[in-house]
Amino acid sequence: MLAEIRGRSQITIPSEIIKRMGISEGDKFEIIEKDGGIFLCPVVVYPKDKLIKIAKMIKNAEPQLNEQQGFDSVEDLFADMGIDIDNV
């Protein structure tokens, strides 16, 4: 597929690609120039206040991580759930 640069340095991405990737108006992209090529990488941008809230949630959850039971094998995990994987 060919695309042409228009006024104000704009390029139209073909609709087949837009549909296939689920891109919609307002989506953001990181633009990377490498080895003579230009690459568009979709990104998600979160507001700073939301990231701070997520960071606080993670910090508050850390003490509970030490209380989580670990398993030495998949068999032990399933046995803890009452599932005998040898008889499945």
Side-chain angles (χ1 to χ4, degrees):
M1 285 182 229
L2 291 178
E4 180 179 320
I5 228 169
R6 304 274 180 184
R8 298 180 54 190
S9 303
Q10 294 178 341
I11 296 175
T12 299
I13 300 171
S15 62
E16 302 87 43
I17 295 173
I18 297 295
K19 290 175 188 171
R20 190 168 47 241
M21 294 193 65
I23 298 169
S24 53
E25 186 175 338
D27 287 356
K28 302 204 180 313
F29 295 84
E30 171 129 14
I31 301 171
I32 301 168
E33 180 269 322
K34 184 174 182 180
D35 298 329
I38 300 170
F39 301 90
L40 302 174
C41 301
V43 296
V44 177
V45 178
Y46 292 99
K48 186 175 181 178
D49 63 321
K50 300 291 184 199
L51 291 175
I52 291 170
K53 185 176 181 180
I54 292 169
K56 286 179 182 178
M57 291 171 60
I58 291 170
K59 185 172 182 156
N60 291 336
E62 284 178 353
Q64 296 171 0
L65 293 177
N66 295 329
E67 299 170 10
Q68 295 291 320
Q69 179 179 356
F71 299 96
D72 293 325
S73 68
V74 172
E75 290 83 6
D76 291 345
L77 169 68
F78 282 110
D80 185 66
M81 294 187 289
I83 301 170
D84 182 4
I85 62 171
D86 293 326
N87 294 320
V88 176

